[in-house]
Structures are given as structure tokens and as C-alpha cells.
Amino acid sequence: MRRGTIDPRRRPGVRGSEPGFEGSFPTFRLFWYLVPVVFLFLFFPFRALQWVSILGILFLLSACAVSYLLYRGVVVRAQAPVVYSYRGDELLVELSVANDSPLPAVNLGVTVFTPSEIPGQQKMQRLLTIGGHASERFTVGIRMSRRGEFALPLVLVEGSDPFSIFPWKISLRALCRIVVYPSIHHGLLRPRRGVPGGAIRVADRMYEDVNRIGSIRDYMPGDDIRRIHWKASAKSGRLRTAQLLPAMDAPAVVLLDIDSSAYPTRFRYDRIERVVEVAASLVHALGRMDQRVGMVSNGLDGGGHPIIPPAGHGESAALVLRVLARI
């Protein structure tokens, strides 16, 4: 830590005990500003100069106190610890800057450094004025050109007293995590006939597919009114009931091979990325259909090969997409 800075671990209330926090306050600047004023007061016994010296000392002490209160009172938080997006889509990170001191914070400079590789997206700057015991929220839009799991590298807050005599800085690292899924290609599981049946919850794995009609027979007492085939009934002049074909609710498992030896050398990276995108698109489509889906891959995620068993309610689909972001 540089000389002239305050140890952030001794600074209560503003993430001082959390990892990734760094703060600097110019304590030695007050000493160097007071030396000439005190020298003028002690060694020049003129009443007018002494009054000017006293006013200068009070002014410097007041400005330092105001700057230090703001330094202790400004808090930066992320509204969500993890933010999700797809590669190429705009990712929105919402940040909150609070001023816990009773004094207004004028012209606070907030700079957000992002992991984006797109020009113009690596750094976002805001200028805020926050009253005492108030807060301000703002949203940072980021576009990521690659998939993966990243941390927000740095959030830098700069402020000072109203006269900019004692400027200070607060830097926060890894304020939140960013998960970027692979790009999604829609329409891979588009049905050729009929319409999607949606999420059908049944107790038995064997059930009737509402999109497939096997035969049509006369209506019998006790038949569900929703099974009546109205077109056939209108043609024949009597009620007709549709008989649906049986189907089975079976989980889907995506087998993903991204061994480099399975792909030609030319454009190998692009081909592997395309395969990962196709796998993510299938998982995304199955998850939206509330279909149970899992994945087995020979890629590495955290040092091991991921094996994700199928589960319902979109749980496994979200887990598979997160693994595909890191694999």
C-alpha cells in the first residue's frame, strides 16, 4: 500500500473487510497543506496574517473532514450477484451507488471496466450527484464476443470535497459474475406437422399425444368434450370423437464430442464453437418445451468431464447451458 493512504481494512461499512476492495485517501496532502499555513501563523506576528492563517487552517480541516466523510459513506453494490446473457446479446448489469453520509456527494465519477473485447465496450463512465442518505442506480450495457464465465474486473469510484482539494478513490474488483452462454440458433426443433403440445404433466410415462390423431369414432357417453372432432362432427351430422396416438415421455441426453482430434485442423476452433452453439440451441429449445434434458461430454469443465443427468422444470437445462459456457 502506498504512503499517504488509509488501510481499507480499518474503514468500516464500505466493504472494507471484503476481498477485492481497495481505497485510497490523501492523508499526507493535509499535512503538506497545513505546513505553510502554520508556518505563516507562527513566524509572522501580524494580526491580519494570523487571522488569514486561522481561516486557512479551518478551511483545510473542514474540506478534509467533508472529503473523508464522503469517502467512508459511499457504497457500491451490484443488484444481482450473477448476470446471465447469450453471446452477442446485450448484457445488462445494474449497479447501485449509495451515499450513507449526511453530506451530498457532488460529481462522483464511476468508471466500470468490463471483460468485453468489443471496441467501446471495455469501459463505461458515469457522473453522479447523490444527496445525503440517498442512492442512485444505473445500468451498464455490455456485449460479449465470447462465451464463458467472467468477473466484473473493476469498478472505480472517484470523489472529493466540493473544492477538489482532497480527492479519493474506491476500487472494487469482482463485484459480480457474468455468465455468457453460447449463441442460440432458433428453429432446430420445429415440428413438421401439427402444433407443439406445450408442457404436459402426466402421472404415467405413457400418454396420448394431442398433436397426433389416430382415428375418429362416434361419440360415446363419458367421452371428454375436449376430444370431440368438430369438423368431422359437422360433416357427418353427429358427434364424433378423436382417438389420439400414444406417446412416451422420455428424457433427452445431448452427447457432445469436442475432442480436437475429431475435427480437421482448418477452422478447428470455429467448428468446435459451432458444435457448442448447436448443443446449446438444442438444450435451450428442449428447456423451453419443459422437456427433461441432460448432457454428457468429453470436454473439460473444472478439470473433469461433465455428466449431467436429466431433470425437470428447466433445472438441468440451465445447468447444461452454464456448463456449455465454460467448457
Side-chain angles (χ1 to χ4, degrees):
M1 188 170 59
R2 301 193 312 270
R3 293 182 59 187
T5 61
I6 291 180
D7 188 348
R9 292 174 295 181
R10 299 181 181 178
R11 180 168 172 259
V14 191
R15 297 182 175 271
S17 60
E18 297 183 11
F21 172 84
E22 294 179 3
S24 63
F25 186 84
T27 52
F28 273 85
R29 179 172 294 194
L30 176 63
F31 173 76
W32 292 115
Y33 284 168
L34 285 176
V35 166
V37 182
V38 174
F39 181 83
L40 184 66
F41 177 80
L42 294 177
F43 296 99
F44 290 87
F46 299 101
R47 187 174 299 274
L49 291 178
Q50 288 183 339
W51 277 109
V52 171
S53 302
I54 292 174
L55 291 177
I57 293 172
L58 294 177
F59 173 76
L60 291 174
L61 292 177
S62 301
C64 183
V66 170
S67 182
Y68 186 68
L69 285 176
L70 294 175
Y71 170 74
R72 292 189 57 181
V74 173
V75 185
V76 182
R77 299 185 180 92
Q79 296 302 306
V82 184
V83 184
Y84 303 91
S85 179
Y86 294 93
R87 194 182 75 168
D89 294 345
E90 187 175 26
L91 183 145
L92 301 178
V93 179
E94 187 175 3
L95 300 177
S96 172
V97 182
N99 179 18
D100 293 338
S101 70
L103 303 174
V106 181
N107 294 335
L108 283 179
V110 182
T111 305
V112 182
F113 294 86
T114 71
S116 177
E117 296 178 346
I118 301 177
Q121 295 282 324
Q122 298 93 343
K123 185 171 68 172
M124 310 291 175
Q125 294 180 317
R126 295 289 189 276
L127 191 64
L128 305 175
T129 297
I130 307 175
H133 299 296
S135 62
E136 187 80 18
R137 290 187 182 183
F138 65 94
T139 302
V140 177
I142 309 171
R143 290 189 183 274
M144 299 294 297
S145 60
R146 54 195 174 102
R147 60 180 174 86
E149 189 168 344
F150 313 92
L152 197 64
L154 178 65
V155 177
L156 180 65
V157 183
E158 300 175 278
S160 68
D161 57 279
F163 302 97
S164 300
I165 301 176
F166 299 98
W168 48 265
K169 293 182 180 180
I170 296 173
S171 59
L172 290 165
R173 300 183 184 275
L175 198 60
C176 68
R177 299 200 63 80
I178 297 173
V179 178
V180 182
Y181 297 142
S183 299
I184 297 299
H185 303 277
H186 299 281
L188 295 182
L189 295 180
R190 185 176 301 169
R192 297 183 179 181
R193 298 180 60 188
V195 294
I200 304 174
R201 302 188 182 278
V202 293
D204 192 355
R205 293 284 182 88
M206 296 293 297
Y207 67 99
E208 293 180 327
D209 190 348
V210 297
N211 297 319
R212 302 171 63 193
I213 299 178
S215 61
I216 298 176
R217 61 171 175 80
D218 290 337
Y219 177 82
M220 298 179 62
D223 287 347
D224 191 346
I225 192 174
R226 293 174 296 181
R227 301 287 184 90
I228 296 177
H229 197 286
W230 295 107
K231 290 185 178 181
S233 301
K235 290 182 179 181
S236 61
R238 60 181 186 274
L239 290 179
R240 304 276 285 174
T241 303
Q243 293 286 105
L244 302 179
L245 295 177
M248 176 177 288
D249 175 26
V253 178
V254 176
L255 304 178
L256 178 62
D257 181 11
I258 56 174
D259 188 355
S260 60
S261 62
Y263 299 87
T265 305
R266 183 176 176 84
F267 303 120
R268 174 177 292 171
Y269 175 79
D270 294 334
R271 294 174 187 269
I272 293 177
E273 283 299 308
R274 174 64 67 166
V275 169
V276 172
E277 290 177 1
V278 171
S281 302
L282 292 173
V283 173
H284 180 267
L286 291 170
R288 295 197 63 177
M289 295 167 57
D290 203 19
Q291 175 71 35
R292 295 182 298 147
V293 58
M295 188 188 72
V296 177
S297 177
N298 57 0
L300 296 178
D301 177 43
H305 303 299
I307 301 176
I308 303 174
H313 306 289
E315 300 172 359
S316 58
L319 180 58
V320 171
L321 286 175
R322 188 157 185 174
V323 170
L324 289 174
R326 302 188 303 254
I327 198 168

